Amino acid sequence: MVGGGKHTPTPKAIIHQKFGANAIYTTEEVHDSSQSACPGLAIPQKGPSLFRCHLQLPDFSVVSNVFKKKKDAEQSAAELALDKLGIRPQNDDLTVDEAWDDLVGRIKYLFSDEFLSAEHPLGAHLRAALRRNGDCCGSVPVSVVATFDPKINSRCKIINPAVESDPFLVISYVMKAAAKLPDFIVASPHEASLRRKNPYPSETVEALAATQVSDSLESRKVKAAYIPCKGEEIVELDSVDVSSGRYYLDCIAERLCLKNGNQVMISRTFGKASCGSECRLYSPIPKFKSLEVSESSSEESTRNARASYICGQEIHGDAVLASIGYRWKSKDLDYDDVTVKSFYRIGIGMSPNGIYKISRQALLVAQLPVSFTTKSNWRGPFPREILSMFCHQHRLADPVFTISTAPVKSLAEVYRSHKKLKASESDENLSKEKEDTAGLGHGFRCEVKVLTKSQDLVLECSPRKFYEKENDAVQNASLKALLWFNKFFDDLEVNGSDTEDEDEDEIKSPGTHVFRFPPNFGNVEDSSGTQNVSSVVEKRVPSITSGSVVSICYSLSLEVDPDFSTDGEVSESNEEDMETEVDYEPSIDLIESHEEIEFEIGTKAMDGLMESAISQMTVGEFASYNTSLCTASQVLVLATASDTPRIRYLLPKRPQVVTSIILLGVKGPSEERMEAAFFKPPLSKQRVEYAVKHIKDSSASTLADFGCGSGSLLDSLLDYPTTLQTIIGVDISPKGLARAAKMLHVKLNKEACNVNTATLYDGSILEFDSRLYDIDIGTCLEVIEHMEEDQACEFGEKVLSLFRPKLLIVSTPNFEYNTILQRSTTPENQEENKSESQLPKFRNHDHKFEWTREQFNHWATKLAERHNYSVEFSGVGGSGEVEPGFASQIAVFKRGASAVESVAEESMQPYKVIWEWKKGSGEKKD
């Protein structure tokens, strides 16, 4: 039998083996502005972070090249050092026999004089073992050797991959390997320990004792959670007595009623993401058997289901959950308190929904959203990140994503076929558009596979839907997989072939056996009942549409009726709590609160009742309602409560959960999302096409974009053949101008076009700059609504009276069309109840105003009359012949035939040149 996998020692690992702490790595960050892809940009640029590593060895030093990752720089430095030393790393295909030989050699090295002083967790255990009393002095628990040395674990995985879930197998293999060293190691199977046959040299031990940094001699009790094997018994708060005079595993053994620490089994680490501490489970080693017997399953009656579930390994007997141990490069014992709350949080964090709840710090109200709409609206870790966390927690391989692209049906024809759009027919048309298409042009589709580390398929999720952005495809596929896993954890009987998913999704799951059965997390009484909403906001028409991002402040408290009586019936598991808590008075106990948390309406990212209440509220309004607890919610309460005995005392009294909410703010559905749901091509592209038509018709050679932002219009113009030779952008945002410069630099140097010069200015469009006087075309697309209304009027006056472009194109949203756009993001039940008196909202929270057609026409007409311009009105999106007109209204101003006064070139130049490109140089002009 051949062992799986290649063992490739990294250059850094080889350096460590040879030099240990004498190899000193120093990494420095290097900023390379040349990587910004935009030479000559006057705005300070921070290029991508690069790293260079200096490696100092006793006899020489080396310096690596620069790399994007620190670890790559360190490996490069180590590789350069190996070249100097004449050492070449060897790649080994290890067979099982070779793995056994390696295992024996590794154990011998661990008990060598050299390793005793190593800054390695196992080295600290070896030194602590020398301070043990009596027969245990110098004796190292075999579970310590099996747990704390990665190389031993890797060799055991080659021998038998099943060691991943059964730590007892590693112990068995270590004992078997140690038995092959009778002249060096004393292996005691019945004591489950290893020791050197000959003591360490006295001078070595004395030298270590002189440098040993010890903890205070005073006893220190570290909080831990005691998990009984029997599921009906509650998880209790416990403590481990830690002091420098005793080996901490001997202290844990006492609590487990074991002879000493040699008989303690140690799990791998877990729980960091859920409770903030790196925890391990400590439990009795099952009765030592022969290797053949040990590989079979243990008696089910001794299995600790709750402990096994949270760590992903087989645990038998009672267990202690604690955060105690030695760390790398530390001689002190490190510890942290672990509570019953920690246990429940770790258990909840095993499911995708639990991971999301914990990440949002809202265990009782947050829910994993059922849809990924936009990156900007999502709150918390993204679905792909959650899926990776989920796989890591369950010891699965990293998820595999496969991206495919294909041409998908364009909505351009659909849009044109609906040119006679009527407001009363918009819902029907929108529904038909959504059914007919899934994207535009070339779309992205993502397939995700979840595999075990031995490459067995656990889940394959292959959504058929295409997305315009690759990231949206990846995030949606990840979310579909997460939602399926959620169903699995909610109902263990779910089967991939029987799952009722959306028609567009295909999910295969032949490998759900890799998950452990979620156990009963404690004796919580089922007090579920009908949700009692006593004082929620009076039922009314929802005022907040789907796609809006709301910000709320909330609190949840437990309230017990003072007159509640259990009729003298107290469950056996709570008798002790009742006896010790007679001083508690019925009161309202705060269990969870948030000063501010955001979520998207319509994605089920929050408790359904809470979302329903919020959707009826207005900003600044307060609401409160009561609900009863179900069994699942009681577990969540225990995961939030710091005073576990108090909560356990209250739960049998059937408390009500009092939810209080204040709505802090609302951001409506993004303008981009509303328009994308209705128009293909997007309105932004239609506006560019409209501008291009006028550029071609006028044979213009110079164009200035007022309020160019990130340069989307200027960048798009370069995709079309035009007569333009000079393009100019003006904006007050340095960040936007920097992005514009980078985009234009790439495209102008890559593609052939007529443009000879491109300039970006930092300045306000409310100020006149003589360099932009008498240009052929000025554009100001979807800009004025981001200004105050009086500033928009001021811009109109200055651009026509001072800049005097031959042609000016101004576009702004048609406020009247918002009813249709916002209806596309409003659920049907909300739309049916919508009052006719309710006015639509602005399309973007940053808009200061939005004009109706009458207001826009009045502004443009009067402006044109005052400055000898003619004006024509048009638009894009919808139809000007049918109510409510175009979605984006456009005014085209044409300058009259009157003479244009000449302006001195340097008379007024307040704008600052940020970036300038000239054909043939590709760089700014100094």
Side-chain angles (χ1 to χ4, degrees):
M1 175 181 175
V2 178
K6 269 190 176 182
H7 169 62
T8 307
T10 64
K12 191 175 176 182
I14 297 173
I15 291 292
H16 179 74
Q17 289 174 4
K18 291 191 169 293
F19 296 97
N22 292 322
I24 301 172
Y25 295 86
T26 304
T27 305
E28 63 173 336
E29 189 172 356
V30 180
H31 295 296
D32 186 1
S33 61
S34 66
Q35 297 296 317
S36 66
C38 189
L41 182 61
I43 300 172
Q45 303 172 77
K46 182 179 179 180
S49 293
L50 301 173
F51 299 94
R52 180 186 293 118
C53 180
H54 299 253
L55 172 57
Q56 180 67 54
L57 295 177
D59 298 326
F60 64 88
S61 64
V62 292
V63 181
S64 74
N65 291 324
V66 292
F67 293 87
K68 292 182 178 179
K69 296 181 180 179
K70 285 184 179 179
K71 63 179 182 180
D72 292 340
E74 291 175 347
Q75 293 290 358
S76 174
E79 190 172 358
L80 292 172
L82 291 177
D83 285 340
K84 272 200 169 189
L85 293 168
I87 299 174
R88 297 290 181 270
Q90 297 295 321
N91 294 338
D92 298 321
D93 288 317
L94 293 183
T95 65
V96 171
D97 289 340
E98 289 170 338
W100 273 113
D101 293 340
D102 236 17
L103 185 59
V104 173
R106 180 63 177 175
I107 292 173
K108 184 174 182 179
Y109 170 70
L110 294 177
F111 283 87
S112 66
D113 296 347
E114 177 187 354
F115 189 78
L116 184 62
S117 59
E119 292 182 339
H120 186 292
L122 192 49
H125 278 274
L126 289 165
R127 295 189 291 272
L130 295 175
R131 301 195 300 270
R132 297 177 77 182
N133 298 323
D135 294 338
C136 290
C137 182
S139 177
V140 180
V142 67
S143 61
V144 168
V145 179
T147 302
F148 291 102
D149 189 64
K151 191 166 185 178
I152 282 182
N153 271 274
S154 68
R155 296 302 179 266
C156 289
K157 287 177 185 177
I158 294 174
I159 295 168
N160 186 350
V163 301
E164 181 73 23
S165 60
D166 190 353
F168 184 70
L169 281 177
V170 184
I171 291 176
S172 301
Y173 295 151
V174 170
M175 292 300 297
K176 185 175 180 180
K180 297 182 179 181
L181 298 166
D183 296 333
F184 192 73
I185 301 290
V186 176
S188 303
H190 299 293
E191 292 292 330
S193 67
L194 303 176
R195 74 169 74 212
R196 274 179 48 132
K197 187 169 184 178
N198 299 316
Y200 289 100
S202 57
E203 59 272 17
T204 302
V205 176
E206 290 171 2
L208 288 171
T211 59
Q212 181 68 34
V213 179
S214 62
D215 301 324
S216 171
L217 293 175
E218 294 181 6
S219 176
R220 166 74 165 89
K221 289 194 174 183
V222 181
K223 291 181 180 179
Y226 191 83
I227 309 171
C229 179
K230 294 181 180 179
E232 62 273 13
E233 297 181 11
I234 64 173
V235 176
E236 299 176 324
L237 183 65
D238 207 338
S239 62
V240 177
D241 198 352
V242 176
S243 69
S244 62
R246 296 192 65 195
Y247 186 35
Y248 79 93
L249 285 178
D250 290 333
C251 301
I252 292 175
E254 281 184 5
R255 183 61 184 91
L256 294 171
C257 300
L258 300 174
K259 181 179 177 181
N260 54 51
N262 295 345
Q263 298 178 357
V264 175
M265 174 88 76
I266 309 171
S267 77
R268 57 192 163 206
T269 57
F270 60 94
K272 180 76 172 179
S274 300
C275 69
S277 297
E278 197 172 71
C279 303
R280 292 186 189 270
L281 278 167
Y282 300 87
S283 59
I285 294 179
K287 185 178 180 181
F288 219 85
K289 303 176 182 179
S290 65
L291 182 60
E292 290 74 17
V293 176
S294 66
E295 292 189 36
S296 63
S297 60
S298 303
E299 293 292 333
E300 188 63 29
S301 59
T302 66
R303 183 175 181 271
N304 191 323
R306 290 176 292 189
S308 299
Y309 176 71
I310 63 174
C311 78
Q313 292 177 309
E314 288 299 319
I315 303 297
H316 292 268
D318 296 348
V320 172
L321 176 66
S323 178
I324 309 174
Y326 297 104
R327 310 295 184 203
W328 282 88
K329 298 185 179 181
S330 174
K331 296 179 181 180
D332 290 330
L333 186 65
D334 190 44
Y335 46 79
D336 197 5
D337 287 334
V338 174
T339 63
V340 175
K341 173 183 174 180
S342 306
F343 163 76
Y344 283 109
R345 288 176 69 89
I346 292 171
I348 290 167
M350 297 300 289
S351 71
N353 197 32
I355 294 173
Y356 185 77
K357 284 175 174 288
I358 291 170
S359 70
R360 302 235 55 202
Q361 300 180 26
L363 272 67
L364 288 161
V365 298
Q367 303 284 346
L368 181 67
V370 297
S371 61
F372 180 90
T373 54
T374 64
K375 183 178 179 180
S376 60
N377 278 12
W378 184 272
R379 297 296 184 271
F382 289 109
R384 179 173 184 169
E385 183 182 348
I386 298 175
L387 184 59
S388 296
M389 293 169 64
F390 175 79
C391 291
H392 176 75
Q393 289 185 184
H394 289 275
R395 268 61 185 190
L396 300 171
D398 290 334
V400 179
F401 298 92
T402 304
I403 307 295
S404 59
T405 60
V408 292
K409 184 179 179 182
S410 170
L411 286 182
E413 287 77 18
V414 177
Y415 163 71
R416 293 188 182 95
S417 69
H418 292 279
K419 193 170 183 179
K420 299 298 182 181
L421 178 68
K422 297 180 180 179
S424 59
E425 300 173 343
S426 60
D427 284 340
E428 179 183 349
N429 291 338
L430 176 61
S431 174
K432 184 172 182 180
E433 289 184 25
K434 287 183 176 179
E435 290 174 3
D436 287 350
T437 64
L440 171 68
H442 276 76
F444 296 93
R445 184 168 62 187
C446 178
E447 173 190 274
V448 58
K449 288 183 179 179
V450 176
L451 309 167
T452 65
K453 289 189 175 179
S454 57
Q455 299 302 295
D456 295 324
L457 181 65
V458 176
L459 181 80
E460 181 179 348
C461 180
S462 306
R464 294 195 184 97
K465 187 175 180 180
F466 282 87
Y467 296 87
E468 292 185 20
K469 297 179 180 178
E470 181 178 334
N471 181 62
D472 288 351
V474 171
Q475 300 296 353
N476 275 281
S478 299
L479 183 58
K480 295 297 181 184
L482 290 168
L483 292 171
W484 191 92
F485 282 127
N486 261 350
K487 290 183 180 180
F488 174 81
F489 279 88
D490 289 341
D491 180 7
L492 267 284
E493 299 302 318
V494 72
N495 183 288
S497 60
D498 299 330
T499 304
E500 292 185 5
D501 230 314
E502 295 182 12
D503 292 339
E504 64 181 5
D505 297 328
E506 291 184 352
I507 291 184
K508 299 176 184 177
S509 180
T512 53
H513 62 277
V514 301
F515 298 108
R516 297 175 185 276
F517 192 93
N520 176 12
F521 274 94
N523 66 323
V524 286
E525 183 178 336
D526 188 355
S527 58
S528 60
T530 304
Q531 286 189 322
N532 176 27
V533 184
S534 57
S535 55
V536 73
V537 182
E538 180 182 353
K539 191 168 181 62
R540 58 198 185 198
V541 176
S543 60
I544 303 176
T545 60
S546 293
S548 300
V549 175
V550 298
S551 173
I552 64 169
C553 168
Y554 77 89
S555 66
L556 276 72
S557 303
L558 289 184
E559 183 180 34
V560 177
D561 185 349
D563 299 326
F564 177 82
S565 173
T566 58
D567 298 326
E569 295 181 3
V570 181
S571 63
E572 182 181 347
S573 60
N574 285 302
E575 287 180 358
E576 185 178 342
D577 288 339
M578 293 291 286
E579 289 174 3
T580 59
E581 290 152 22
V582 293
D583 294 335
Y584 286 146
E585 294 292 334
S587 61
I588 295 180
D589 291 72
L590 179 68
I591 53 175
E592 184 174 280
S593 64
H594 240 293
E595 291 187 359
E596 183 175 3
I597 188 170
E598 293 184 335
F599 70 96
E600 182 180 359
I601 293 288
T603 62
K604 299 183 179 180
M606 281 281 166
D607 170 75
L609 193 56
M610 176 179 279
E611 181 172 326
S612 176
I614 292 168
S615 67
Q616 303 174 42
M617 297 169 65
T618 57
V619 174
E621 187 175 2
F622 170 84
S624 177
Y625 58 88
N626 295 359
T627 56
S628 56
L629 275 174
C630 65
T631 303
S633 295
Q634 291 185 30
V635 174
L636 292 173
V637 170
L638 288 167
T640 63
S642 298
D643 190 349
T644 303
R646 169 67 171 166
I647 297 300
R648 281 183 170 153
Y649 166 72
L650 294 176
L651 289 180
K653 295 178 177 293
R654 302 182 187 278
Q656 291 281 299
V657 178
V658 182
T659 302
S660 301
I661 313 167
I662 299 176
L663 181 58
L664 301 177
V666 180
K667 297 177 183 177
S670 69
E671 184 177 7
E672 179 185 0
R673 180 180 172 188
M674 287 191 295
E675 293 178 354
F678 211 82
F679 295 107
K680 300 293 180 178
L683 285 182
S684 59
K685 185 173 182 180
Q686 293 186 42
R687 285 190 288 267
V688 171
E689 291 175 345
Y690 185 93
V692 169
K693 178 180 181 299
H694 280 274
I695 292 169
K696 288 182 175 179
D697 291 347
S698 65
S699 300
S701 63
T702 58
L703 177 143
D705 187 20
F706 295 96
C708 66
S710 299
S712 56
L713 172 63
L714 299 176
D715 180 70
S716 299
L717 286 174
L718 298 178
D719 295 331
Y720 300 86
T722 66
T723 55
L724 288 176
Q725 296 182 15
T726 300
I727 57 175
I728 300 166
V730 182
D731 206 276
I732 59 173
S733 169
K735 188 175 181 180
L737 289 168
R739 286 198 294 262
K742 292 173 185 177
M743 284 196 304
L744 293 173
H745 177 81
V746 171
K747 188 167 283 188
L748 286 168
N749 284 297
K750 184 186 295 184
E751 300 176 3
C753 61
N754 293 329
V755 173
N756 294 321
T757 62
T759 309
L760 296 178
Y761 291 109
D762 180 4
S764 169
I765 62 175
L766 297 179
E767 289 186 282
F768 171 65
D769 191 294
S770 59
R771 287 169 291 188
L772 274 66
Y773 178 71
D774 192 27
I775 54 175
D776 292 336
I777 290 185
T779 55
C780 185
L781 306 185
E782 309 297 294
V783 173
I784 61 172
E785 63 273 9
H786 293 272
M787 311 162 71
E788 297 295 341
E789 197 165 358
D790 59 338
Q791 292 178 322
C793 295
E794 181 184 352
F795 164 72
E797 294 290 339
K798 288 194 173 180
V799 73
L800 296 189
S801 65
L802 298 177
F803 288 97
R804 302 290 291 171
K806 295 182 177 69
L807 194 73
L808 175 68
I809 304 173
V810 179
S811 77
T812 191
N814 173 12
F815 179 69
E816 298 166 84
Y817 208 94
N818 291 1
T819 303
I820 295 177
L821 291 177
Q822 290 166 8
R823 192 179 301 164
S824 70
T825 58
T826 304
E828 292 182 5
N829 63 328
Q830 290 186 19
E831 186 58 38
E832 292 172 1
N833 297 323
K834 188 170 182 179
S835 169
E836 290 183 1
S837 63
Q838 284 187 290
L839 292 175
K841 302 177 181 61
F842 292 165
R843 296 185 198 176
N844 190 312
H845 69 276
D846 189 51
H847 288 184
K848 303 301 189 294
F849 69 91
E850 289 181 5
W851 280 333
T852 62
R853 287 170 291 173
E854 181 181 355
Q855 291 172 311
F856 183 61
N857 288 7
H858 176 77
W859 171 78
T861 301
K862 294 296 183 182
L863 189 64
E865 289 175 355
R866 286 195 295 272
H867 300 290
N868 193 26
Y869 276 79
S870 63
V871 63
E872 296 178 359
F873 296 98
S874 185
V876 294
S879 170
E881 302 173 0
V882 182
E883 290 296 323
F886 293 107
S888 187
Q889 50 190 343
I890 298 176
V892 180
F893 298 87
K894 292 184 179 180
R895 195 175 67 195
S898 61
V900 178
E901 299 178 4
S902 60
V903 177
E905 185 178 348
E906 298 181 359
S907 58
M908 298 182 68
Q909 296 186 0
Y911 293 170
K912 178 183 178 182
V913 178
I914 291 298
W915 176 80
E916 185 174 3
W917 177 91
K918 288 186 177 294
K919 181 175 285 188
S921 65
E923 298 181 2
K924 94 164 188 176
K925 180 182 178 182
D926 295 325

